[in-house]
Amino acid sequence: MAVRRSLPRHGRRTVGAWCFADHFGPQPLSGAHPGMQVGPHPHIGLQTVTWLLEGEVLHTDSLGSEQLVRPGQLNVMTAGGGIAHAEQTPGGSAGRIHGVQLWVAQPEATRHGSPAFEHHPVLPVVELGHGAATLLVGALGDDRSPATAATELLGADLALRPGVSRLPLRTDFEHAVLPLDGPVTVDGTPLAVGQAAVIEAGAGDVELSVPAPTRVLVLGGTPLPEPILMWWNFVARTRAEIDEARADWEAGSPRFGTVASPLGRIGAPGTPWR
Ligand code: MN
C-alpha cells in the first residue's frame, strides 16, 4: 500500500509532540491488496492516533482491547512503558482503505506509565467559514476532543468547501498542514497530496484555499522541550532504553504482553548502532 510519510523528515523531526505521520491510500481492496495487515508489534513512549477517511481497521492489543475503527471515529493507544498491538483490515472488506496513522511522543511525565487504549465513536465538529473541523485531539475555541493528550496538542481534520477559509492558530503552537485528498493552497503556497506545510510558532491564523471539497489534516502543538530518540516502533531518549525494549520484545517479555491476532508477530530489526 502506498504510504506518504510526512514525519519524521530530514530537517523536521517533530511538530509539537507529533513525531510520526503516515498517510495511506486510498487503496482499492482486493485479494492482492488486502489493506492493512500489520501483525503484533510493540510500542513504547508514544500514542498512536488512527483516523480513517475510508474503510475500516480492527485494532487488537495486549490489554485485551478489540476495536473496529471506522471513518469519523478515533482510536488512541497509549504505549507508556510498553504495549503490543495488531491492526488489520477485516477479511472480505470491500471498497477502499484511506487514512492516517499518527504518533505522539509522550512526555517524561507519562512515557514510563501504564498503557491504555481508548476509542471515540463521536468527536466534536467545529464550523469554519468554508467547511468544518473534526477535532481528533485538543481544542478549537470552546470545543475540545475527548481524546487523552499529555501535552498541549491539536489534531483536526478539516472538510473544506471551495473558497478561502481562515483557521485561527495558537501562537504558542507550531503546526503542519497536510492535504489528504486534493490540493490546498496554504497562505498562498500550493500543496499537493503528499506534501506538507509547516507553520512555525507565532502565526495567529492560516489561510486555506481549495478549488473543490477537500480534506486537510492540521497538526499542532507546543514545540517539544527535549530531543527524542525514535527507532522502529519505539520513542525514547537513549539508545539504552531502545536496546532494552528491543531485547524485551525479542525475548517475549511480559512487558509487552500478548495480542490475539491471526497475523504473525513482527520481529525487531537490528539497531544501526550494534
Ligand atoms: Mn503500531
Side-chain angles (χ1 to χ4, degrees):
M1 189 156 59
V3 175
R4 302 166 200 87
R5 180 155 299 164
S6 295
L7 287 175
R9 299 285 290 267
H10 288 293
R12 193 73 199 199
R13 313 302 294 177
T14 55
V15 172
W18 299 101
C19 61
F20 180 95
D22 263 4
H23 174 203
F24 51 88
Q27 170 73 57
L29 297 172
S30 67
H33 293 284
M36 192 177 287
Q37 303 289 329
V38 183
H41 61 279
H43 287 288
I44 65 168
L46 60 86
Q47 292 181 295
T48 63
V49 176
T50 306
W51 175 249
L52 299 178
L53 283 74
E54 296 180 74
E56 50 188 29
V57 171
L58 179 66
H59 161 98
T60 52
D61 66 36
S62 50
L63 300 172
S65 314
E66 180 176 332
Q67 181 65 55
L68 197 63
V69 64
R70 294 192 173 95
Q73 308 176 340
L74 192 72
N75 276 3
V76 178
M77 184 182 76
T78 301
I83 196 169
H85 73 147
E87 295 159 292
Q88 186 172 24
T89 303
S93 290
R96 306 197 298 185
I97 183 84
H98 185 196
V100 290
Q101 183 164 97
L102 311 166
W103 294 358
V104 177
Q106 291 185 254
E108 199 57 39
T110 67
R111 72 186 186 95
H112 301 290
S114 299
F117 174 78
E118 58 195 78
H119 173 76
H120 299 288
V122 179
L123 296 168
V125 177
V126 180
E127 288 303 317
L128 303 173
H130 282 82
T134 302
L135 272 171
L136 315 187
V137 182
L140 278 176
D142 295 332
D143 294 284
R144 178 170 285 277
S145 164
T148 300
T151 55
E152 287 292 302
L153 284 180
L154 173 66
D157 178 332
L158 312 185
L160 298 177
R161 295 189 294 272
V164 178
S165 300
R166 194 163 279 282
L167 182 70
L169 302 178
R170 274 181 59 159
T171 56
D172 58 334
F173 277 17
E174 52 192 12
H175 293 84
V177 178
L178 293 76
L180 295 178
D181 64 356
V184 58
T185 298
V186 180
D187 285 334
T189 301
L191 286 187
V193 173
Q195 296 183 304
V198 171
I199 302 165
E200 301 296 352
D205 61 14
V206 59
E207 188 181 274
L208 304 167
S209 166
V210 294
T214 305
R215 301 279 289 275
V216 176
L217 184 69
V218 177
L219 305 177
T222 47
L224 275 183
E226 56 186 358
I228 60 171
L229 181 61
M230 279 181 64
W231 178 80
W232 196 43
N233 295 310
F234 304 138
V235 173
R237 302 296 182 270
T238 66
R239 289 180 176 181
E241 289 175 351
I242 288 188
D243 287 337
E244 184 179 11
R246 182 189 183 282
D248 286 346
W249 175 249
E250 292 301 289
S253 160
R255 172 179 183 177
F256 292 110
T258 55
V259 183
S261 171
L263 301 173
R265 195 175 185 276
I266 299 176
T271 56
W273 53 81
R274 50 188 282 175

